[in-house]
């Protein structure tokens, strides 16, 4: 059985971070090992959310304990997502390095969570942005930014599809990581579609799927894409297959969420399609 260590946020009500990632990866046959960076009552879009950043040295202490009981060499992949402070970033960096010493084949998938609305920019402290920009993406095998995060990492303003391609090429030249851009937003080819890009060592692929009209767009879609892509990758799928599967799973979950007019992703109702997505949408070389 494959094992994935998932280090990101968690919510008690609703779906985001590890709450989104764990269930789909388990459905795909993965033993998930979640470490929470923050524990929140709900997504931050709710007016009265509350919670805490978890534990000084919590990540390091857990990793050291897992090392002591001989688990680190059996970890096939590490996902990192939202972090609550820059110190957690340092701990994640050292955790990934240590796991790769035990298992050089383990992959690190970094979701550089810095915000979602490109018009508002990132509200995170600069030292967290510096962790993602200067450390995490240099260690990562894959990074999964949205358009805002790609703009921050590439230090370029992205107005259109050409700008996106140039930013991806720049990051590929500077880092070893392969890239999934999870949402092109207004910089895509068609504002009425949801567009994504996969950039491997040799090729880039473009995928479009429906853009669902939500009054209040559910959060956690990016976390779902990152988790299911990683799960399919460690299960032996190619990068392109894992990318297409993740995109179609996200589409099916959103379709069911829209049918039920839900504010949160309908993960339980969509579980059949997480295991067996309809696969209506394919990626094509750019």
């Amino acid at each position: 059985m494959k094992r994935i260590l998932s280090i990101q946020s968690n919510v008690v009500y609703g779906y985001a971070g590890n709450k989104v990632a764990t269930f789909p990866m388990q459905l795909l046959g993965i033993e998930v090992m979640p470490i929470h960076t923050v524990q929140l009552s709900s997504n931050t879009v709710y007016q009265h959310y509350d919670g805490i950043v978890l534990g000084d040295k919590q990540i390091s202490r857990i990793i050291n304990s897992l090392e002591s009981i001989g688990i680190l060499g059996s970890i096939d992949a590490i996902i990192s997502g939202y972090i609550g402070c820059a110190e957690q970033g340092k701990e994640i960096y050292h955790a990934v390095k240590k796991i790769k010493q035990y298992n050089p084949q383990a992959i690190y998938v970094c979701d550089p969570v810095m915000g979602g609305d490109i018009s508002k920019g990132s509200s995170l402290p600069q030292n967290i942005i510096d962790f993602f920009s200067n450390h995490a993406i240099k260690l990562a095998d894959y990074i999964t930014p949205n358009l805002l995060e790609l703009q921050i990492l590439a230090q370029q303003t992205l107005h259109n599809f050409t700008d996106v391609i140039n930013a991806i090429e720049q990051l590929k030249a500077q880092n070893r990581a392969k890239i999934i851009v999870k949402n092109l937003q207004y910089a895509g080819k068609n504002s009425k579609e949801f567009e994504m890009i996969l950039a491997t060592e040799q090729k880039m692929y473009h995928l479009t799927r429906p853009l669902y009209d939500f009054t209040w767009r559910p959060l956690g879609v990016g976390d779902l894409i990152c988790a299911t892509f990683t799960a399919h990758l460690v299960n032996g799928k190619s990068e392109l297959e894992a990318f297409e599967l993740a995109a179609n799973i996200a589409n099916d979950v959103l379709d069911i969420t829209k049918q039920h007019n839900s504010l949160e992703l309908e993960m339980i109702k969509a579980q059949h399609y997480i295991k067996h997505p309809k696969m209506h949408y394919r990626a094509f070389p750019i």
Side-chain angles (χ1 to χ4, degrees):
M1 182 176 292
K2 299 295 185 179
R3 285 195 174 109
I4 295 178
L5 178 71
S6 180
I7 311 174
Q8 50 188 318
S9 62
N10 193 59
V11 294
V12 174
Y13 171 75
Y15 289 95
N18 273 329
K19 189 74 174 293
V20 169
T22 301
F23 179 58
M25 290 197 288
Q26 289 173 330
L27 287 175
L28 296 173
I30 302 294
E31 183 175 339
V32 185
M33 303 166 57
I35 300 177
H36 306 328
T37 55
V38 300
Q39 179 76 42
L40 301 178
S41 57
S42 65
N43 280 311
T44 56
V45 294
Y46 295 95
Q47 184 176 0
H48 300 294
Y49 81 91
D50 200 358
I52 58 171
V53 177
L54 286 172
D56 182 36
K57 302 299 182 184
Q58 174 205 210
I59 297 169
S60 296
R61 291 173 63 184
I62 291 173
I63 294 298
N64 291 340
S65 177
L66 294 175
E67 181 181 27
S68 297
I69 61 177
I71 298 299
L72 296 190
S74 68
I75 294 173
D76 298 284
I78 309 102
I79 296 172
S80 73
Y82 180 86
I83 60 174
C85 61
E87 288 73 19
Q88 290 179 333
K90 295 176 184 177
E91 293 182 74
I92 291 169
Y93 184 89
H94 292 302
V96 173
K97 296 275 282 188
K98 182 173 284 190
I99 290 166
K100 282 180 171 285
Q101 288 176 351
Y102 281 93
N103 180 11
Q105 302 306 311
I107 60 172
Y108 173 34
V109 181
C110 175
D111 191 0
V113 180
M114 293 182 279
D117 189 338
I118 197 165
S119 65
K120 296 180 180 179
S122 177
S123 60
L124 293 181
Q126 186 61 45
N127 56 3
I128 292 181
I129 294 173
D130 290 342
F131 162 69
F132 287 122
S133 300
N134 301 328
H135 302 288
I137 66 171
K138 298 185 183 304
L139 183 60
D141 298 286
Y142 298 88
I143 58 174
T144 61
N146 58 30
L147 189 65
L148 167 64
E149 292 151 358
L150 178 65
Q151 179 169 274
I152 292 171
L153 294 175
Q155 297 182 334
Q156 297 182 22
T157 303
L158 306 179
H159 296 292
N160 52 48
F161 194 77
T162 300
D163 291 341
V164 171
I165 299 302
N166 290 338
I168 292 171
E169 293 284 12
Q170 176 186 314
L171 284 179
K172 285 177 60 182
Q174 295 173 346
N175 306 282
R176 61 191 291 270
K178 301 163 192 177
I179 302 168
I180 291 177
V181 185
K182 295 176 297 192
N183 185 357
L184 300 191
Q185 295 180 312
Y186 65 79
K189 292 183 175 182
N190 185 347
S191 62
K192 296 182 180 180
E193 300 284 341
F194 190 103
E195 300 178 61
M196 302 168 60
I197 288 177
L198 166 67
T200 67
E201 290 176 342
Q202 304 298 330
K203 293 183 178 181
M204 288 193 202
Y205 298 91
H206 179 243
L207 184 147
T208 64
R209 60 172 178 80
L211 180 62
Y212 293 93
D213 182 22
F214 288 96
T215 303
W216 181 0
R217 183 167 297 278
L219 298 182
V221 178
D223 303 324
L224 175 63
I225 291 169
C226 181
T228 52
F229 170 78
T230 307
H232 279 296
L233 208 58
V234 301
N235 278 336
K237 299 296 185 183
S238 70
E239 292 162 341
L240 179 57
E241 288 173 325
F243 175 65
E244 291 182 328
L245 282 160
N248 280 274
I249 288 169
N251 180 76
D252 290 347
V253 172
L254 283 168
D255 186 17
I256 291 173
T257 301
K258 178 66 176 177
Q259 290 176 32
H260 288 83
N261 196 28
S262 300
L263 301 180
E264 298 283 350
L265 293 175
E266 289 286 359
M267 303 294 292
I268 307 299
K269 291 185 175 69
Q271 61 183 291
H272 170 78
Y273 297 103
I274 293 172
K275 295 179 70 174
H276 306 288
K278 297 175 184 176
M279 299 303 295
H280 289 322
Y281 307 102
R282 299 289 182 175
F284 296 94
I286 297 174

